[in-house]
Amino acid sequence: MSENGAVAVVRVKPSAFAAPFHYLFTRPVVEVDGKEYEGRWGTREIPMSRGAHRIRVYFRYRGRRAARLGEAGVEVSVEVTDRRIGLTAKLGPTNGSTFRITAQPRSA
């Protein structure tokens, strides 16, 4: 984390029912203000500056760069006192489900 911002701790998880499929065939993407952070299912830390940010979460099948499946978004504001901002993005169980993004209580 820099002196001018916070760390977004984003936990991305599939539903328990579809988890084996997603672990094998898909990759989640966390996008902050248009910048993609492709990764794995689990927790990822992303540095963020102060101010308002648009966070989007979606997944892609491995090897497919253009897909944005299950997409959902949320607006987050990083305040001067914020050090960590916790978010959980959980994908629904059915084909065609979207992510549901929830925020954890802020910590200074």
Side-chain angles (χ1 to χ4, degrees), residues 7-84:
V7 173
V9 180
V10 184
R11 184 173 183 212
V12 183
K13 56 190 224 175
S15 73
F17 176 75
F21 172 84
H22 284 287
Y23 291 142
L24 288 173
F25 299 110
T26 68
R27 291 276 187 206
V29 178
V30 177
E31 184 181 282
V32 178
D33 299 330
K35 182 176 180 183
E36 292 183 354
Y37 296 88
E38 189 167 353
R40 59 180 168 65
W41 297 97
T43 303
R44 160 168 217 131
E45 293 188 359
I46 301 170
M48 294 174 57
S49 60
R50 291 183 196 152
H53 300 278
R54 179 79 174 152
I55 298 177
R56 305 205 59 77
V57 180
Y58 48 92
F59 72 91
R60 295 180 170 136
Y61 288 102
R62 292 177 189 245
R64 305 269 173 130
R65 293 287 306 155
R68 296 171 71 106
L69 305 168
E71 188 171 2
V74 65
E75 296 283 336
V76 173
S77 180
V78 178
E79 305 297 331
V80 174
T81 57
D82 290 335
R83 296 291 173 253
R84 296 174 73 78

